[in-house]
Amino acid sequence: MIRLDKFLSQAGVASRRQLREIIRAGAVRIDGVCVTDYAYKFDETACTVTVNGETVREAGTLVVMMNKPAGYITATEDARKATVMELLPPELQGRQLKPIGRLDKETEGLLLFTNDGDLLHRIVSPRHAVEKEYYAEHEGVVTAEDIAQFAGGMLLRDGTRCRPAKLESIGLGKSLITVSEGRYHQVRRMMSARGMFVTYLRRVREGPLRLGELGLGQVRVLSPEEVCLLADRQNNEKNCME
Ligand code: URA
């Protein structure tokens, strides 16, 4: 059970204070019934909530963005190493969140979490090929041949053929790399296959979502609009347009 104002604020609809106004004004319905008490408690996993007629995505669905610092492994639990779960604030603990994909222990940047298994699988599925963009600092200098190798589908040292990717030099030893798959140590291995050892790596974008101003170690709940942007078009129509 969850309080109505808390549910809507976690879904990113508005701030708690604004929400109380919105709820009092009669804009919110739970399973079609208008609720004007912001403290009303309900089962968010079983009810559909609308604000001004728009569905606040599937009840209970939560997507969270973290700016992951180095030093944490992407796992839900580990006996010895610190995991990204420890960085979730207390109000998001116990919400069944799981990381979407992974970042290496030493990689920083955008890491998403959700409690929606379907959404998670859709985003990590190779069929959907969600683009991920990284900022890298590295040894060596990017050449035209490196860029061409990335664009043409690079062969890694172990014989793996990568999907076409984008390499853009933005300064001496600084590059942006965009890939549409999530193999183990993908960016580090691609750079290393071209003789460029990566010394720092940060994910700055996943699909339509950018890390933006989110501070290192900080977390924010995505708005329903951002969640719909992230999901594929078919799903958009199902969850956002009804
Ligand atoms: N590629 C890497 O090498 N590491 C990451 O964490 C993500 C992509």
Side-chain angles (χ1 to χ4, degrees):
M1 300 288 270
I2 189 168
R3 252 170 70 146
L4 182 55
D5 60 343
K6 188 172 180 193
F7 170 80
L8 291 171
S9 104
Q10 286 182 351
V13 172
S15 72
R16 280 265 189 123
R17 233 193 24 215
Q18 292 166 328
L19 280 169
R20 292 183 182 184
E21 295 297 308
I22 295 170
I23 296 165
R24 274 197 210 104
V28 179
R29 287 175 181 266
I30 300 179
D31 287 343
V33 177
C34 182
V35 177
T36 53
D37 175 8
Y38 65 77
Y40 180 79
K41 284 199 170 164
F42 67 104
D43 180 358
E44 79 271 31
T45 60
C47 299
T48 297
V49 181
T50 58
V51 176
N52 289 322
E54 293 213 9
T55 302
V56 181
R57 256 188 76 81
E58 284 168 53
T61 292
L62 186 62
V63 185
V64 168
M65 181 191 290
M66 174 184 288
N67 185 350
K68 174 193 172 298
Y72 293 82
I73 62 164
T74 308
T76 48
E77 54 185 9
D78 192 275
R80 280 166 296 136
K81 297 185 190 128
T83 75
V84 290
M85 305 309 286
E86 293 166 32
L87 297 165
L88 292 173
E91 68 272 20
L92 292 177
Q93 304 277 351
R95 297 288 314 271
Q96 315 300 328
L97 288 167
K98 290 201 173 59
I100 303 180
R102 61 174 57 231
L103 289 177
D104 300 339
K105 187 175 171 204
E106 295 318 320
T107 302
E108 291 183 357
L110 194 162
L111 182 64
L112 298 172
F113 296 74
T114 187
N115 60 355
D116 180 333
D118 286 345
L119 183 64
L120 190 150
H121 287 114
R122 209 165 36 245
I123 296 170
V124 296
S125 155
R127 275 197 310 126
H128 287 89
V130 175
E131 275 194 353
K132 296 159 205 74
E133 185 178 337
Y134 296 84
Y135 164 78
E137 294 179 6
H138 52 86
E139 293 171 356
V141 174
V142 173
T143 64
E145 181 55 23
D146 294 328
I147 294 171
Q149 287 288 326
F150 269 65
M154 154 176 313
L155 198 58
L156 296 179
R157 288 194 171 128
D158 67 356
T160 307
R161 174 73 65 187
C162 297
R163 285 198 181 144
K166 188 173 162 200
L167 171 62
E168 183 190 356
S169 172
I170 54 168
L172 191 60
K174 294 180 179 165
S175 295
L176 291 176
I177 297 118
T178 307
V179 297
S180 56
E181 55 192 343
R183 296 180 187 280
Y184 176 71
H185 284 186
Q186 172 127 16
V187 172
R188 294 176 198 273
R189 285 159 75 212
M190 289 173 90
M191 292 295 277
S192 143
R194 299 301 305 166
M196 293 178 281
F197 178 74
V198 171
T199 53
Y200 173 81
L201 192 61
R202 177 169 73 235
R203 180 150 70 197
V204 295
R205 178 172 69 86
E206 181 151 1
L209 300 174
R210 288 203 165 269
L211 194 54
E213 298 298 303
L214 193 64
L216 199 58
Q218 295 201 320
V219 165
R220 73 174 180 88
V221 175
L222 296 194
S223 69
E225 290 75 21
E226 288 176 307
V227 174
C228 286
L229 274 178
L230 187 66
D232 64 38
R233 186 174 295 264
Q234 229 181 11
N235 191 56
N236 270 359
E237 281 158 13
K238 184 166 142 264
N239 289 307
C240 306
M241 315 277 287
E242 59 191 10

